[in-house]
Amino acid sequence: MSASHTDTSSGTPPDTVTARLEAVRRSILESCAAGGRDPGAVTLVAVSKTHPAEAVEEALAAGQRVFGENRVQEAKAKFPALRERFPDLELHLIGPLQTNKVKDAVALFDVIQTVDRPRLAEALADEMARSGRRPRCLIEVNTGEEPQKAGIPPAELDAFLAACRGTWNLPVAGLMCIPPVDEEPAMHFALLADMARRAGLPEVSMGMSGDYETAIRFGATHVRVGTAIFGARPYPAAGPAAGPTAGPTAG
Ligand SMILES: *Cc1c(COP(=O)(O)O)cnc(C)c1O
């Protein structure tokens, strides 16, 4: 959690998915009002990784429709049944994608937020051509230029984006980033939003439980919020806090 995290839970902390979701929605509205943002331009992606389908169902019952998962296998086990009952559900892949899982990912997800290397872009293009399904793609940018982290370095974004559009004809809609855990996220959010604007890309995915209010101020169109909605994860998931330099829960 960043030191600048705004604590919006002024009374007893909410302890159900419904109540926490409500609190996050309120806080998003407040951040939009404070930053002069249109609330309709900010999508809450509820990150349900490691949580059971029952937790997702509770969020669905409370009106949430956009979800994020970071593993193809886990999403495949949880979501097809839910999707039958909620056809307007939208599923985002927010974790690293191996090329041998591209077929499943294209079949399952509506948005792939983690396009991070040429080999993956090419594999996605091949599978989209084969299947006819074209999930929206976001390019993951390694704004902190961390060697252990996935993502395109900022200096290589223009060339990679040109290839995604030209060579591979991918439906690229925006950019996403996961700032370094030990840095103030604001500068990374500002950088990502600026890169998206210059590239003419409408979607900017940034901000997690600890910093989504800041991300909204800097122009996020998608915030990826897990813990603040579903509570602490029952077991560590691969993700931004699980890199070789951080412990499983980053403190
Ligand atoms: C797990 C994860 C999130 C959600 O993190 P919380 O701190 O639980 O809100 C957001 N983005 C990515 C890429 C993740 O892996």
Side-chain angles (χ1 to χ4, degrees), residues 17-114:
V17 169
T18 306
R20 289 193 211 100
L21 185 56
E22 205 39 61
V24 170
R25 284 177 180 148
R26 259 198 317 276
S27 157
I28 288 175
L29 286 178
E30 284 166 12
S31 304
C32 286
R37 300 280 318 279
D38 170 10
V42 179
T43 299
L44 172 60
V45 180
V47 176
S48 51
K49 66 186 182 197
T50 77
H51 294 283
E54 290 70 35
V56 178
E57 286 194 54
E58 190 177 344
L60 282 161
Q64 179 65 25
R65 288 295 180 273
V66 184
F67 294 89
E69 284 282 338
N70 73 332
R71 288 167 185 265
V72 176
Q73 291 310 109
E74 186 181 339
K76 201 177 169 182
K78 248 160 35 184
F79 275 88
L82 294 170
R83 217 195 256 286
E84 279 188 16
R85 291 162 48 208
F86 299 91
D88 57 342
L89 189 157
E90 184 175 283
L91 190 57
H92 293 229
L93 178 63
I94 61 166
L97 178 55
Q98 295 167 284
T99 48
N100 64 2
K101 302 253 169 65
V102 158
K103 187 168 187 243
D104 280 345
V106 166
L108 190 60
F109 290 93
D110 303 292
V111 180
I112 295 175
Q113 294 205 3
T114 47

